[in-house]
Amino acid sequence: QAAADPMSSSDAPEDGPKETSSVSQNISDADAFKILLEMKMKKRQKKPTLPSTVTELGTEDGSQVYVVGTAHFSDSSKKDVVKTIQEVQPDVVVVELCQYRVSMLKMDEKTLLKEAKEINLEKLQQAIKQNGVMSGLMQMLLLKVSAHITEQLGMAPGGEFREAFKEASKVPFCKFHLGDRPIPVTFKRAIAALSFWQKVKLAWGLCFLSDPISKDDVEKCKQKDLLEQMMAEMIGEFPDLHRTIVSERDIYLTYMLKQAAKQIELPRASETEPRKYIPAVVVGVVGMGHVPGIEKNWNSDLNIQEIMSVPPPSASSKVFKFVIKATVFGLMGYGCYRIGQRTVQFFLSMPAAQSYLQKLTEIRSHH
């Protein structure tokens, strides 16, 4: 179906279906690959008309990378992604997601909207179990920020990634890569970078985020990433946090885009035929806040081993973890005490219990 798109019905011969049927029985995999690749190349625009949000980058071996800077809550960003993929017919599409957030590609808008608004104890327990106490709490607090915007705008996040996934599936031989650093690594490194009081201050700010979002803010989503802007304002006073959440991920995203831009090997009819390579065309879909960092790091030699390591918990982290656990268990204990107290009071107020106590008092007085 994807291969047939470039051909109009007027170009096809009248006995096309019969001819195609007979050819398809005898054609080899290598020949089929070459035919589809040629059709893809014809559909690929040599001078594509791209949205203003696209940044073009190149590699030494001639590969082209088109980075689409998006706003996670913007309809216009979805259109930019679709247009770019259709124009350049990429070999690889890389998105700013990791394996821990891949579920948003499969969910429909309605389900995602419901999921984003519902932040409950079960989700908190799951996040803590998956990422640890500190990272789990940080993840839930950031989800609260996202849920706040979702509720105000009535729009689920990640629409541009879902559009990228759909469009990539329509392009022959197009691979789809997850290009973001795993969330647990990011959160654990972020937590380790903060002092005890910085953690308390950040948690307090995230917990009490409730400012309404105006129509002007909705319009601004089309020019910039509202979620990343809000986060940038909140973490501006914590340079180490900005480094782990933004700058390090800029490096990781750049590295993944460069890996995706390696030359493509063409199929061979036999093992004796020499290997042939062609430059790759890549589309990257990332938040606007990461585009400057990707441009900055593009021509640098990158090593991601250091930013993938998780430092051991500091003394302040252990103290904060103990305080959180003590608070949770304290609240549970107080809850049990209050429930027990009310149960006893209820039991003593029953007529049967009062009668029994009265008889017991009389027996004791006789003795």
Side-chain angles (χ1 to χ4, degrees), residues 70-75 77-79 81-82 85 93 95-97 101-113 115-116 150 154-170 176 178 285:
T70 67
H72 298 316
F73 291 87
S74 171
D75 281 328
S77 286
K78 297 180 191 177
K79 295 174 185 176
V81 169
V82 171
I85 292 175
V93 171
V95 295
E96 186 199 327
L97 286 176
R101 292 186 292 160
V102 74
S103 60
M104 72 162 54
L105 294 175
K106 301 174 184 178
M107 292 185 188
D108 58 87
E109 196 84 9
K110 188 177 179 182
T111 305
L112 275 167
L113 200 59
E115 284 282 320
T150 298
M155 184 188 300
E160 73 274 33
F161 302 137
R162 289 188 289 281
E163 290 298 327
F165 185 66
K166 290 176 191 174
E167 287 303 314
S169 67
K170 299 175 186 176
F176 190 85
L178 303 175
V285 183

Side-chain angles (χ1 to χ4, degrees), residues 13 28 69 80 101 121 142 148-149 156 185 215 217 235 332:
S28 67
D80 290 351
R101 292 186 292 160
L121 185 60
L142 291 176
H148 171 62
I149 300 175
V185 176
K215 290 182 179 179
D217 291 325
I235 66 178
M332 289 175 63

Side-chain angles (χ1 to χ4, degrees), residues 197-215:
W197 291 113
Q198 283 178 325
K199 290 168 189 170
V200 172
K201 191 173 183 180
L202 180 66
W204 182 268
L206 290 168
C207 284
F208 291 94
L209 177 74
S210 59
D211 294 336
I213 298 172
S214 65
K215 290 182 179 179

Side-chain angles (χ1 to χ4, degrees), residues 264-364:
I264 299 169
E265 182 183 351
L266 294 175
R268 294 181 294 166
S270 66
E271 292 294 326
T272 56
E273 186 179 338
R275 296 178 184 272
K276 293 181 182 178
Y277 297 87
I278 59 171
V281 173
V282 179
V283 169
V285 183
V286 304
M288 282 185 181
H290 292 292
V291 176
I294 291 171
E295 285 187 277
K296 178 185 174 183
N297 293 301
W298 188 252
N299 295 315
S300 304
D301 292 327
L302 304 174
N303 184 357
I304 62 169
Q305 289 184 354
E306 184 183 344
I307 61 172
M308 287 299 290
S309 64
V310 179
S314 62
S316 64
S317 292
K318 293 177 181 178
V319 171
F320 195 71
K321 185 176 179 179
F322 173 77
V323 170
I324 292 293
K325 283 187 175 182
T327 303
V328 171
F329 284 118
L331 289 171
M332 289 175 63
Y334 179 71
C336 291
Y337 165 73
R338 292 291 296 172
I339 291 170
Q341 189 182 41
R342 289 182 180 180
T343 303
V344 171
Q345 289 175 348
F346 174 75
F347 177 76
L348 292 177
S349 65
M350 295 176 65
Q354 289 180 351
S355 175
Y356 177 78
L357 288 172
Q358 187 176 1
K359 288 180 180 179
L360 188 63
T361 304
E362 290 174 358
I363 291 170
R364 289 186 65 184

